[in-house]
Amino acid sequence: MESTSILAAARRRWWVIVLLAVLGAGVGAIPSSQKSVDATTQWQASHTLLLSTTSLGDSVFNDPVAFNQLQLFAVTGEVPRRVAQKLNYQGVPAALAAQVTVTIDTSNAALRISTTQTTADQAVTIADAFADELVSYLAERQDALQADREAASLARLDSLQTEIEALEPKVLANPNDQVLGAQLEALRRQYSSEFEGYRQLQVDQGQIQLTTLERAQPIAITAQGLSAPKSRSGRGVLAGLVGAVAGLGVAILWARADRRIRTRAQAEAIFGLRSQVAIPDTGKGAHHGVVVVPGRHDVLSDSYRTLRSVVGFVETGLPHGQNQAQIALVVSAGSGDGKTSVSANLAAAFVETGLTTVAVNTDFRRPSLSERILGRAPDPVGFFPEDIADLPVPMLVSRTPIEGLSVFDLAGAQGSPGELARITARLLPELAKEFAAVVVDTSPVGATAEVLEVVPRADVIVLVVRLGHTHIDSAQRTIEIIRTLTDAPLLLTVVGEAPERDDYYEYGRARQPARKRKPSKSGA
């Protein structure tokens, strides 16, 4: 998530952050009845071994490979398995070996096996067990290697003896054969050399020996960890900060899960359109009636006048039919987005420019255009749907208290919403001939199919989005459907944006008359 999105989520749901911060501070400031544990005590034990050799001089002490092999023997293979069996360890021997550290000191020929455990007895037992088993295993391994070397030497002596015994009769039978004599002499020298080597193996074992210098002794280790502040105020501040961070996380997750359009930039990105008009939310409930009336000029009413100017500018660039007005269609993705209020006030704004205007209702499931403009439900129409299309348009138009503004609403007629929507769509060209401006209020695109009868007949389409209300999924389906049905210009109008503070508009406050300046004595 981008930083701007994080800041937007924090601003939108700041109360979550504050609530969790206050709760955290309150919980952190509660007196604790239990004594806190500020440190953890563990026990370390080390078993020290000295390395010595027989008849190999000091070569092993200067050879790091020999030391590394001893270190490897201590924690790999047979030694860990023997220790696990000795201690009745139920886990994997390698896990037990991982608790052991083997360090070597080449200058003193010392090897130290250390471990850290939660109890002193456990630390001593493990360190001593690894050291003892390493000594035992190394002795057994060297004895086995010595026996193998002696057996191999005896086998070679037996082989040479056999060859000598086989060659001696031949030399006696042919005393003048120098080749046979030389072969026999070479075999005897090899036998003599091998025999000396065998005797040396028996005399000089040449083994590495480990002896214990010091068995393991437990040493207490106190590990100082992070702890909460001891004062109530300090704990409260720390817990408050933790709560604020948690609240920010909740706000971000909430924003990710939110499927409503929250900002104008988000609406522009979803629809792929630039919003040139924003209808502010003044908090006065004025969206439920006509606010574009003579003598009223505030942020709300002037935003509808701005929308009228934009629609009129777009219509000016469109091809005009002879004696026929352009049709402005007001649509939205879902119910409650504010399209009926936009339709009523857009029609009233056109009237202010001197254009005779008709506001047309095509939402026959929840009709409300007549109530917004006339203050009452539409009059009943005493004709069948199949006869309405043949009636003169003036017979179906209702006059309003606003001079120059009429309403065409068949909601009082008998028939299904689909039938009434199709009849109204067919009569739109006739209305465009009778009036200088036509504004059509439709049903939600994402909820009904009747609006699809009207969209192809529109010259300009006003897309209405209410921040915090319009669903993203419905908005995406709406723009896809509209772009499929028509090539008419689309104008994105955002409803519900917070108005900017402006000194030109003062709600509920009478402008004070300017005080007259008293003339100065000098007459200036």
Side-chain angles (χ1 to χ4, degrees):
M1 182 178 287
E2 298 179 356
S3 59
T4 54
S5 301
I6 295 176
L7 293 176
R11 287 196 302 268
R12 189 175 303 120
R13 296 181 177 86
W14 59 269
W15 56 272
V16 176
I17 302 175
V18 173
L19 177 61
L20 291 183
V22 172
L23 289 176
V27 173
I30 296 175
S32 178
S33 59
Q34 297 181 354
K35 186 176 180 180
S36 61
V37 179
D38 295 333
T40 301
T41 301
Q42 291 185 323
W43 296 86
Q44 186 182 67
S46 300
H47 189 118
T48 304
L49 297 172
L50 283 180
L51 176 65
S52 61
T53 61
T54 58
S55 303
L56 291 181
D58 294 333
S59 61
V60 69
F61 303 123
N62 300 323
D63 185 3
V65 176
F67 272 109
N68 292 335
Q69 289 178 347
L70 293 178
Q71 188 177 19
L72 183 64
F73 288 155
V75 294
T76 307
E78 185 65 21
V79 172
R81 285 194 290 269
R82 292 186 179 187
V83 174
Q85 184 177 4
K86 180 178 181 179
L87 301 180
N88 294 323
Y89 183 74
Q90 300 300 321
V92 180
L96 184 60
Q99 304 175 24
V100 173
T101 302
V102 181
T103 57
I104 55 178
D105 185 356
T106 56
S107 61
N108 297 320
L111 184 144
R112 181 175 289 107
I113 298 177
S114 305
T115 184
T116 301
Q117 303 294 330
T118 56
T119 64
D121 292 341
Q122 188 177 14
V124 170
T125 300
I126 293 177
D128 286 342
F130 270 91
D132 294 341
E133 293 302 325
L134 176 61
V135 172
S136 175
Y137 171 71
L138 183 62
E140 293 177 9
R141 184 175 186 275
Q142 291 185 123
D143 289 343
L145 292 176
Q146 180 69 18
D148 291 341
R149 285 195 291 266
E150 291 180 1
S153 181
L154 285 174
R156 287 195 294 272
L157 288 173
D158 292 340
S159 176
L160 290 172
Q161 182 66 33
T162 301
E163 292 182 17
I164 292 172
E165 291 177 353
L167 191 59
E168 283 179 344
K170 296 180 181 180
V171 174
L172 293 175
N174 300 283
N176 297 323
D177 193 337
Q178 296 181 357
V179 174
L180 291 176
Q183 292 178 352
L184 179 60
E185 185 63 25
L187 289 174
R188 287 173 176 172
R189 287 197 300 270
Q190 291 180 19
Y191 183 88
S192 177
S193 176
E194 187 64 35
F195 184 76
E196 290 296 328
Y198 175 72
R199 292 186 60 184
Q200 186 66 30
L201 283 175
Q202 292 180 318
V203 174
D204 189 358
Q205 299 293 327
Q207 292 185 340
I208 300 175
Q209 296 180 355
L210 290 174
T211 57
T212 298
L213 177 63
E214 183 182 34
R215 297 192 67 82
Q217 298 292 331
I219 300 175
I221 300 175
T222 301
Q224 187 71 31
L226 295 175
S227 60
K230 296 182 179 180
S231 64
R232 292 179 58 185
S233 59
R235 291 197 305 270
V237 171
L238 180 60
L241 292 175
V242 174
V245 173
L248 178 60
V250 171
I252 293 174
L253 293 177
W254 197 341
R256 286 181 176 271
D258 191 1
R259 298 302 297 169
R260 298 179 186 272
I261 299 176
R262 295 291 178 179
T263 63
R264 182 196 291 197
Q266 188 180 12
E268 293 175 343
I270 292 172
F271 285 98
L273 299 171
R274 182 74 175 177
S275 174
Q276 299 180 354
V277 181
I279 309 299
D281 185 2
T282 60
K284 301 292 185 179
H287 291 286
H288 298 288
V290 176
V291 299
V292 181
V293 293
R296 175 170 177 172
H297 291 277
D298 53 23
V299 176
L300 182 59
S301 61
D302 281 358
S303 64
Y304 289 117
R305 294 183 177 98
T306 302
L307 177 61
R308 173 204 63 200
S309 300
V310 174
V311 173
F313 177 78
V314 174
E315 289 181 343
T316 302
L318 298 176
H320 287 266
Q322 187 174 4
N323 298 324
Q324 187 169 347
Q326 302 286 355
I327 299 174
L329 191 69
V330 182
V331 300
S332 68
S335 60
D337 287 338
K339 61 176 177 52
T340 302
S341 296
V342 172
S343 300
N345 285 281
L346 178 60
F350 272 119
V351 172
E352 284 190 341
T353 62
L355 300 176
T356 57
T357 306
V358 59
V360 182
N361 173 54
T362 60
D363 184 0
F364 298 103
R365 296 180 184 269
R366 295 181 181 178
S368 59
L369 182 64
S370 295
E371 294 182 359
R372 300 290 175 88
I373 298 177
L374 299 174
R376 57 178 174 80
D379 297 328
V381 179
F383 297 94
F384 293 103
E386 58 269 17
D387 299 328
I388 293 177
D390 298 329
L391 296 176
V393 168
M395 290 183 59
L396 303 174
V397 173
S398 299
R399 302 297 177 183
T400 69
I402 302 176
E403 186 178 355
L405 177 61
S406 302
V407 175
F408 184 87
D409 191 353
L410 298 182
Q414 298 295 326
S416 66
E419 290 178 323
L420 298 178
R422 284 190 292 271
I423 293 173
T424 304
R426 288 197 298 268
L427 292 177
L428 284 178
E430 298 298 325
L431 291 170
K433 294 178 182 178
E434 294 288 335
F435 295 90
V438 179
V439 179
V440 183
D441 180 37
T442 68
S443 57
V445 176
T448 64
E450 294 86 56
V451 64
L452 306 183
E453 302 285 345
V454 189
V455 169
R457 299 181 181 273
D459 296 302
V460 178
I461 297 179
V462 179
L463 280 169
V464 178
V465 176
R466 179 178 288 277
L467 300 182
H469 181 81
T470 303
H471 285 266
I472 295 176
D473 298 335
S474 299
Q476 292 172 340
R477 289 196 301 270
T478 296
I479 190 62
E480 291 175 0
I481 291 173
I482 290 178
R483 290 192 184 278
T484 302
L485 295 177
T486 181
D487 294 329
L490 305 179
L491 300 177
L492 179 60
T493 300
V494 176
V495 176
E497 193 171 48
E500 296 181 359
R501 185 180 181 88
D502 197 331
D503 293 338
Y504 285 98
Y505 299 108
E506 297 181 2
Y507 292 96
R509 293 173 56 188
R511 187 178 298 276
Q512 300 295 329
R515 295 182 179 180
K516 295 182 179 180
R517 294 175 57 189
K518 294 182 180 181
S520 62
K521 295 182 180 181
S522 61

